[in-house]
Amino acid sequence: MEIHPKITPIYQTSVFKFEDLNELELYFGEPGSRYLYSRNGNPNSDELAAAVTQLEGGAGAVATGSGMAAIFAAVMAYCEAGDHVLCAADIYGGSSALLSQELSRLGITVSYVPFADLTANLAAHAQPRTRLLLCETISNPLLRVVDLQAAAEATHALGLKLVVDNTFASPILTRPLEHGADLVMHSVTKYLAGHSDVTAGAVVARTPEDAARLRQIGTLFGLTLSPMESWLAVRGLKTLRLRMEAHCRNAQAVAELLVGHPAVGEVFYPGLSVHPQHQLAASQGGGRFGGMVSFRLADDTTEAVSRFMRACQRFPFAPSLAGVDSSLSYPAGTSHRALTEEQRQELGITAGLVRLSVGIEPADELLADLQQALDD
């Protein structure tokens, strides 16, 4: 009996069989026509890569074991020993730690560029062997919005590549390749998978040549995502648009509540008209602003944050983001813990800064919980 499944089965196998040497030669002669070993690719990871490629409007992608693996693959696609990377100062702390602590051991150096210089003064930071600029569409954790078109123009004018981490925005809000980026990466763990039950990453290339290079790196460094994790991520992708609409709607309501509360000193959300890049975010995001909200308590201390965390019922302290269930995180103690106190202060990551990942629960329940926690 021939079976025709509606969805792709999980190919939970590390290796694939060949009938004869002719079939083996087809594998090497026609990439993608056969499977040999799951590290080289498997139907599930290829399905995820193809889906994210379509979402981002790229030429090809590689699915990786995590978002960090995706960043590593993106940098290695363009860099070798002796090369130099420019990185936005406003970026996930794990990304900066990878660049500064680990890639430096491979002879790849990094310089951090202030937000204001990403488009207006990028040349002042470039070196003879600078190869790329790495930035985030919406920065972690203060939600600054990069002008991707201007960043691409500034980068390409210097002969560099633009690599964009699109995790906070997702391709539902912004597709960086359409604005001139060369590679776009995701922590698929977050919005793309969406249910806090998978760890994965992906890098999408604008050109077929870069896509082939990414696949080579994924294979040789052993970064390829497993079949089960790939299957879970593809399942999550099917509701991405619906989830993002709910995340954005709830986050807007949360941000507006926080702005008016006396216990809150400052709110960071691109959907607020007072946000410095509000108009840019509206244009680049199609009028949607994402599901992440950060705020600084008026009592800018760790003690105040602890009291707030203990009082919250619907926002558990869980230092990740983008699941269907809301959560909160503490950047100074988690995502940016590896930075020095001086570095955190320069970026505005103070003791009283809280980052909310706003889920898709009923908005009135989330607002009531935040109200009582702030009133406590």
Side-chain angles (χ1 to χ4, degrees):
M1 179 180 66
E2 192 172 359
I3 299 174
H4 301 282
K6 184 179 180 181
I7 62 172
T8 304
I10 303 171
Y11 287 81
Q12 196 65 46
T13 180
S14 61
V15 67
F16 297 84
K17 298 187 296 184
F18 290 82
E19 294 294 330
D20 53 36
L21 292 178
N22 289 331
E23 193 175 2
L24 180 63
E25 289 307 310
L26 280 176
Y27 167 80
F28 287 104
E30 300 176 19
S33 65
R34 300 288 193 280
Y35 292 99
L36 175 69
Y37 185 57
S38 277
R39 175 170 56 83
N40 298 13
N42 61 73
N44 297 114
S45 65
D46 283 356
E47 182 182 32
L48 175 59
V52 181
T53 296
Q54 183 178 22
L55 281 169
E56 287 287 5
V62 61
T64 63
S66 67
M68 294 299 292
I71 292 176
F72 178 77
V75 173
M76 295 306 293
Y78 296 133
C79 292
E80 60 184 35
D83 286 342
H84 175 247
V85 171
L86 291 176
C87 181
D90 302 73
I91 201 163
Y92 168 54
S95 301
S96 60
L98 172 67
L99 293 170
S100 298
Q101 298 175 23
E102 297 301 326
L103 291 187
S104 62
R105 297 170 59 240
L106 304 181
I108 299 171
T109 57
V110 58
S111 297
Y112 294 95
V113 183
F115 179 81
D117 288 355
L118 289 177
T119 57
N121 197 30
L122 190 64
H125 302 272
Q127 299 178 12
R129 291 194 60 172
T130 303
R131 296 290 180 254
L132 62 90
L133 168 65
L134 172 64
C135 65
E136 296 171 341
T137 309
I138 303 173
S139 74
N140 182 2
L142 292 177
L143 307 181
R144 296 184 174 104
V145 181
V146 171
D147 186 332
L148 295 175
Q149 186 72 42
E153 291 173 359
T155 304
H156 295 156
L158 297 171
L160 313 180
K161 301 291 188 178
L162 178 60
V163 178
V164 178
D165 183 338
N166 200 32
T167 298
F168 269 28
S170 88
I172 303 303
L173 271 65
T174 307
R175 305 204 320 170
L177 299 179
E178 293 180 347
H179 296 275
D182 297 285
L183 297 180
V184 57
M185 57 79 49
H186 287 270
S187 174
V188 175
T189 310
K190 312 304 191 300
Y191 285 115
L192 298 193
H195 292 77
S196 304
D197 57 6
V198 61
T199 301
V203 196
V204 185
R206 184 164 52 87
T207 68
E209 294 78 14
D210 283 350
R213 176 64 178 141
L214 287 172
R215 287 191 293 271
Q216 181 184 35
I217 289 169
T219 296
L220 296 180
F221 280 94
L223 305 178
T224 307
L225 188 61
S226 71
M228 181 66 184
E229 302 286 89
S230 299
W231 187 89
L232 284 169
V234 169
R235 184 185 65 170
L237 278 177
K238 295 176 182 179
T239 59
L240 175 61
R241 186 172 298 277
L242 294 173
R243 288 186 285 105
M244 287 307 299
E245 289 174 358
H247 284 300
C248 293
R249 184 170 58 250
N250 283 355
Q252 184 74 39
V254 163
E256 291 173 0
L257 168 72
L258 293 172
V259 165
H261 200 285
V264 176
E266 193 172 6
V267 181
F268 308 92
Y269 184 66
L272 296 173
S273 60
V274 295
H275 189 283
Q277 293 93 43
H278 173 70
Q279 292 301 324
L280 170 64
S283 173
Q284 224 165 239
R288 293 159 297 194
F289 303 96
M292 302 300 298
V293 180
S294 293
F295 68 98
R296 199 185 323 278
L297 290 168
D299 182 0
D300 194 4
T301 64
T302 56
E303 292 77 15
V305 172
S306 291
R307 288 194 300 272
F308 172 74
M309 287 181 175
R310 285 194 296 269
C312 281
Q313 302 298 315
R314 300 303 299 267
F315 288 83
F317 176 31
S320 189
L321 58 103
V324 292
D325 299 313
S326 295
S327 63
L328 63 83
S329 185
Y330 184 58
T334 58
S335 61
H336 292 73
R337 188 185 187 91
L339 303 184
T340 66
E341 178 63 24
E342 182 181 4
Q343 290 171 325
R344 287 194 293 269
Q345 289 294 328
E346 287 178 357
L347 292 174
I349 302 172
T350 62
L353 184 70
V354 177
R355 191 191 72 191
L356 300 179
S357 175
V358 183
I360 67 172
E361 305 96 331
D364 58 343
E365 296 179 10
L366 299 178
L367 298 178
D369 186 44
L370 287 172
Q371 182 76 48
Q372 64 84 25
L374 291 167
D375 290 344
D376 188 47

